[in-house]
Amino acid sequence: QVQLVESGGGLVQPGGSLRLSCVVSGSGFIIHGMYWYRQAPGKQREWVALKTSGGTTDYAEFVKGRFTISSDNAKNTVYLQMNSLKPEDTALYFCSVGTTLGVSWGQGTQITVSS
């Protein structure tokens, strides 16, 4: 079983920054990919960023140049650094990992960008 615990969400002003953390725990699996998604009220979930176990990263067009996905293998943690935040970034953000056991999801953490 894979468990993900997220932190770092909150209220931030437009133009501000936040860093989300996602601690991955469990045993008996190998991580192949790390992902961040978000979902705003009344809208479909959308992909934000990914990082493969080989280190390749990719981003949705609407966050390129503003968000950075990273990981610390020693801490079993995935991060999403969010800069230059906009009101339209307001959403529930989810961490997920693809492993040899399948896809697992965190509980989500709320990001609200408002003045």
Side-chain angles (χ1 to χ4, degrees), residues 84-96:
S84 302
L85 284 162
K86 306 174 181 179
E88 51 263 45
D89 294 320
T90 296
L92 189 65
Y93 282 70
F94 298 91
C95 175
S96 71

Side-chain angles (χ1 to χ4, degrees), residues 23-38:
V23 179
V24 183
S25 62
S27 62
F29 61 88
I30 298 173
I31 296 175
H32 297 308
M34 297 157 277
Y35 314 88
W36 287 96
Y37 288 79
R38 70 187 188 187

Side-chain angles (χ1 to χ4, degrees), residues 37-91:
Y37 288 79
R38 70 187 188 187
Q39 187 170 21
K43 297 184 178 180
Q44 294 294 314
R45 182 185 62 192
E46 60 185 354
W47 167 72
V48 174
L50 70 83
K51 184 180 181 182
T52 70
S53 59
T56 300
T57 61
D58 198 11
Y59 301 90
E61 191 66 30
F62 53 82
V63 303
K64 283 184 177 179
R66 299 190 298 124
F67 291 10
T68 303
I69 186 172
S70 63
S71 62
D72 185 334
N73 292 338
K75 297 182 178 180
N76 298 313
T77 302
V78 185
Y79 303 97
L80 184 68
Q81 178 67 47
M82 303 184 293
N83 299 325
S84 302
L85 284 162
K86 306 174 181 179
E88 51 263 45
D89 294 320
T90 296

